[in-house]
C-alpha cells in the first residue's frame, strides 16, 4: 500500500487531495497546524492519519519526517501543498512580507522533501508533487512576495526533477489558477467562476496513477474563463 503524505491538508486543495487518495489503496497522512481542522478531517475520514505540524517550523518538520519514517519506513508520495497567500505589491508590502511568504510556501516544502528523499532514492521510487500556482509562472501587478515565493517553489520543483532523474524519483509541479477554497473568502465572486478543489485533486491523482516510467512535469489548470482580472470586479 502506498504511503501518501499531504501538507496543508485540513481544508481546501489539500483536503480535496486527501479525500481523493483516501478512495484508493493508500495510507494517507494529513498535516496542518490547527488541531480542530484535523479533528474534523478525522471525523469524516477515520482511516486518515492526522498530524499537527507548522511547516514554517524547521524542528516541527524534522519531527514529522522522523515520526513518519519511523512508523511507515518511507513515503511514496509527498504532496507539498501547505501555503499561504498575502496580497500586496512589492513597493507597498512591509519588509517582512518576503520572508513570511518564503516560510509559508517554500522553506517547509524544501526541508520536508530533503528529509524524505533519502529513502526514495534508496528505493529508486517515489514522487514529490509541489502545489505551485499560476503565480509561479505569471507576473501580476499585485503579485508581490506571494508570487516571488511561488516562482521559487516552481524553481525548486524543476531543479529537483533534474537531480532526481537518475534516481527514479519523479517530481511534479501542479500549477492551479483560482480554486474555490477559504483563500477566496470575502472576495465577491460567484463560486462558479473558480475551479472546484476536487478537480485539482483529480489531476494530482492522475499524475500519481501513471506508470513509474512517466512523469507529468507540469499540470497547469485555470478556470474555464481564465484568470481572475479587473473585468471580474466591474
Ligand atoms: N485557492 C487557490 O486559488 C490557489 C491557487 C493556486 C495555488 N494555491 C495553493 O494551493 C495551496 C492550498 O491553498 P488553499 O487555497 O487550499 O488554502 P486553504 O484553503 O487556506 O487551506 C490551507 C491548508 O493548509 C494548512 N496550512 C496553512 N499554513 C500551514 C502551515 N504553515 N503548516 C501546515 N499547514 C498549514 C491549513 O490548515 P491550518 O490553518 O490549520 O494550518 C489548511 O489545511 C497553497 O499552497 C496555495 O498557495 C491555491
Amino acid at each position: 500500500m502506498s504511503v501518501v503524505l499531504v501538507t496543508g491538508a485540513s481544508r481546501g486543495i489539500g483536503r480535496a487531495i486527501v479525500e481523493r487518495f483516501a478512495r484508493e489503496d493508500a495510507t494517507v497522512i494529513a498535516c496542518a497546524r490547527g488541531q480542530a481542522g484535523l479533528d474534523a478531517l478525522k471525523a469524516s475520514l477515520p482511516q486518515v492519519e492526522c498530524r499537527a505540524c507548522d511547516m514554517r517550523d524547521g524542528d516541527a518538520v524534522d519531527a514529522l519526517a522522523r515520526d513518519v519514517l519511523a512508523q511507515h519506513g518511507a513515503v511514496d508520495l509527498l504532496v507539498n501543498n501547505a501555503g499561504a497567500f498575502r496580497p500586496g505589491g512589492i513597493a507597498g508590502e512591509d519588509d517582512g512580507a518576503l520572508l513570511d511568504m518564503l516560510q509559508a510556501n517554500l522553506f517547509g516544502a524544501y526541508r520536508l522533501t530533503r528529509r524524505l528523499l533519502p529513502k526514495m532514492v534508496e528505493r529508486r521510487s517515489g514522487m514529490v508533487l509541489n502545489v505551485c500556482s499560476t503565480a509561479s509562472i505569471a507576473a501580476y501587478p499585485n503579485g508581490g512576495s506571494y508570487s516571488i515565493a511561488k516562482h521559487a517553489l516552481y524553481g525548486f520543483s524543476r531543479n529537483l526533477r533534474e537531480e532526481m532523474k537518475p534516481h527514479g524519483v519523479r517530481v511534479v509541479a501542479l500549477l492551479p489558477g483560482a480554486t474555490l477554497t477559504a483563500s477566496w473568502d470575502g472576495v465577491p465572486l460567484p463560486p462558479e467562476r473558480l475551479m472546484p478543489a476536487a478537480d485539482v485533486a483529480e489531476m494530482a491523482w492522475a499524475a500519481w496513477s501513471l506508470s513509474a516510467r512517466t512523469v507529468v512535469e507540469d499540470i497547469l489548470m485555470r478556470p474555464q474563463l481564465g484568470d481572475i482580472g479587473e473585468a471580474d470586479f466591474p
Side-chain angles (χ1 to χ4, degrees):
M1 194 185 281
S2 300
V3 176
V4 178
L5 171 55
V6 184
T7 70
S10 60
R11 291 193 305 272
I13 292 171
R15 177 160 175 154
I17 292 173
V18 165
E19 287 170 354
R20 182 64 189 85
F21 279 82
R23 281 160 42 198
E24 306 294 337
D25 191 23
T27 298
V28 184
I29 307 160
C31 116
R33 290 167 304 179
Q35 194 57 49
L38 290 173
D39 289 346
L41 175 63
K42 187 83 184 164
S44 62
L45 291 171
Q47 74 271 37
V48 172
E49 210 178 285
C50 293
R51 290 173 183 268
C53 177
D54 186 339
M55 293 300 293
R56 299 169 302 183
D57 176 344
D59 291 339
V61 170
D62 290 352
L64 172 68
R66 242 190 344 262
D67 289 355
V68 168
L69 289 176
Q71 192 171 338
H72 298 285
V75 167
D76 297 291
L77 169 62
L78 168 62
V79 180
N80 284 314
N81 166 75
F85 170 66
R86 205 171 133 168
I90 292 164
E93 62 192 11
D94 64 62
D95 282 338
L98 181 58
L99 183 58
D100 189 31
M101 285 294 90
L102 289 171
Q103 273 170 338
N105 292 288
L106 179 71
F107 293 170
Y110 174 83
R111 190 166 182 130
L112 182 57
T113 302
R114 282 163 44 82
R115 298 294 175 268
L116 300 179
L117 268 180
K119 275 287 166 195
M120 292 186 181
V121 168
E122 187 186 310
R123 296 170 9 150
R124 297 193 57 77
S125 75
M127 178 181 284
V128 178
L129 188 151
N130 289 336
V131 180
C132 302
S133 169
T134 47
S136 297
I137 53 165
Y140 303 95
N142 233 11
S145 285
Y146 174 75
S147 181
I148 295 173
K150 287 296 188 189
H151 272 73
L153 183 64
Y154 186 50
F156 163 49
S157 314
R158 297 181 66 206
N159 281 282
L160 184 65
R161 181 181 308 123
E162 293 310 310
E163 190 179 323
M164 287 298 119
K165 276 180 180 170
H167 302 293
V169 177
R170 296 176 290 163
V171 180
V172 178
L174 174 53
L175 297 87
T179 308
L180 186 59
T181 70
S183 301
W184 290 89
D185 279 356
V187 181
L189 283 169
E192 317 79 68
R193 181 67 181 85
L194 309 175
M195 293 188 291
D199 284 0
V200 179
E202 196 58 41
M203 295 306 286
W205 166 254
W208 170 248
S209 62
L210 299 181
S211 114
R213 291 160 51 192
T214 304
V215 60
V216 183
E217 296 188 342
D218 292 343
I219 302 170
L220 178 57
M221 303 177 71
R222 285 197 164 88
Q224 185 266 325
L225 287 173
D227 288 331
I228 307 297
E230 283 176 13
D232 290 293
F233 305 100

